[in-house]
Amino acid sequence: MPVSNTKTDEARQVAEYWDRIAPEFDSIYAGNKNLLARGLDRWLRKDMYQRFDWVMRKAEELRPATVCDIGCGSGRFVSSLAKRGAQVTGLDFAPEMLNLASQLVEREGVADRCRFVLSDVLDWKTSENFDLVIAIGFWDYVANPLARLQVIHKLTGRTFLSAWPRAGTLRMAIRKVRLKVAGCPVYFWRLTDVESYLNQAGFQVESCEVLGQLYCIQARPV
Ligand SMILES: C[S@@+](CC[C@H](N)C(=O)[O-])C[C@H]1O[C@@H](n2cnc3c(N)ncnc32)[C@H](O)[C@@H]1O
């Protein structure tokens, strides 16, 4: 499926990759795989489930009325946050991901509290502001975070939750090779660099948890 509205070749590569593998990605959440594959996901992708639980725990504390999920993928966070009563906007530039997300929120009976935007966050023209903004499994695919963080800063009313893949792990080397073969660029981050980008974009870091291979960071706009 052609992907429009993206700025660079690299963004196009990322969007096309996620469009292609959308159902495969969603099956990590859906668990519609054989026993061995499910076991491997639970083991090798443990931090995907941990970051999901982290966001839901934070949402319980923060009780946002409005949420924006940047790079919402197949809508698993969108749906769960809407079930907790929030009005949720999910943004993604892979059309097939948004198809899955729309079907999910219909199935889960929360479509009336959800809306989806097909765009790179850089291209999204809006003056909206959300209590909570999340960008999970997103920074892996962004070469230069600052411009997108500056846009996210404008969207963020109270809290920004983000998860960043850590540099220097064994998984980093394996993912680099796997995704290069698949034609998708991938990036890994040092905590000092992430903190510096967040500060430059106008955020103050409130907490950072290391969950598996990830830095999970809560920040607020200043
Ligand atoms: C690994 S998936 C994560 C999906 C979801 N956040 C989750 O954790 O289940 C990454 C998603 O980010 C989207 N994405 C990556 N870069 C993007 C960008 N610049 N603008 C919009 N979406 C983007 C991809 O299309 C993909 O659906």
Side-chain angles (χ1 to χ4, degrees):
M1 189 179 300
V3 174
S4 59
N5 213 21
T6 53
K7 278 189 182 319
T8 63
D9 283 351
E10 182 172 271
R12 218 180 324 275
Q13 268 184 312
V14 174
E16 285 174 2
Y17 170 74
W18 286 108
D19 205 49
R20 210 162 53 236
I21 70 142
E24 191 187 320
F25 173 76
D26 188 62
S27 68
I28 300 169
Y29 291 108
N32 51 356
K33 298 181 172 185
N34 66 40
L35 198 61
L36 176 64
R38 280 207 309 273
L40 284 175
D41 279 349
R42 285 275 151 204
W43 175 40
L44 296 173
R45 298 189 157 115
K46 188 173 170 197
D47 50 21
M48 273 186 64
Y49 308 109
Q50 289 176 309
R51 74 191 185 191
F52 184 89
D53 293 342
W54 175 71
V55 169
M56 296 309 146
R57 224 172 34 243
K58 293 286 178 188
E60 285 299 317
E61 281 166 29
L62 300 162
R63 304 236 164 235
T66 54
V67 180
C68 183
D69 183 354
I70 303 291
C72 67
S74 55
R76 296 286 166 172
F77 289 76
V78 171
S79 171
S80 286
L81 291 163
K83 279 190 200 161
R84 286 167 168 75
Q87 292 285 339
V88 190
T89 299
L91 173 139
D92 205 290
F93 61 12
E96 191 48 33
M97 283 291 199
L98 292 191
N99 282 342
L100 293 177
S102 302
Q103 289 166 21
L104 177 68
V105 300
E106 280 290 344
R107 273 200 315 275
E108 304 275 302
V110 289
D112 58 330
R113 287 204 288 284
C114 302
R115 138 180 105 121
F116 295 102
V117 177
L118 178 66
S119 177
D120 187 319
V121 66
L122 272 184
D123 301 324
W124 191 23
K125 305 282 175 263
T126 181
S127 54
E128 288 170 84
N129 198 257
F130 302 86
D131 294 338
L132 173 65
V133 178
I134 67 172
I136 307 293
F138 177 83
W139 303 104
D140 318 40
Y141 313 102
V142 174
N144 299 303
L146 188 55
R148 287 181 177 83
L149 281 172
Q150 284 165 336
V151 174
I152 289 173
H153 180 263
K154 290 201 188 96
L155 299 172
T156 308
R158 291 188 348 226
T159 306
F160 174 47
L161 299 177
S162 55
W164 302 72
R166 297 194 285 133
T169 62
L170 175 62
R171 168 116 64 90
M172 176 177 115
I174 297 168
R175 277 185 80 200
K176 269 205 161 156
V177 174
R178 188 170 61 77
L179 286 168
K180 192 174 170 54
V181 171
C184 179
V186 61
Y187 304 93
F188 300 87
W189 305 99
R190 292 185 317 187
L191 184 57
T192 46
D193 293 334
V194 173
E195 287 173 334
S196 166
Y197 285 128
L198 283 163
N199 289 339
Q200 286 176 67
F203 286 105
Q204 182 178 326
V205 173
E206 295 185 309
S207 66
C208 174
E209 289 179 41
V210 175
L211 295 180
Q213 319 281 319
L214 305 171
Y215 296 120
C216 292
I217 298 182
Q218 176 173 341
R220 68 178 176 85
V222 285

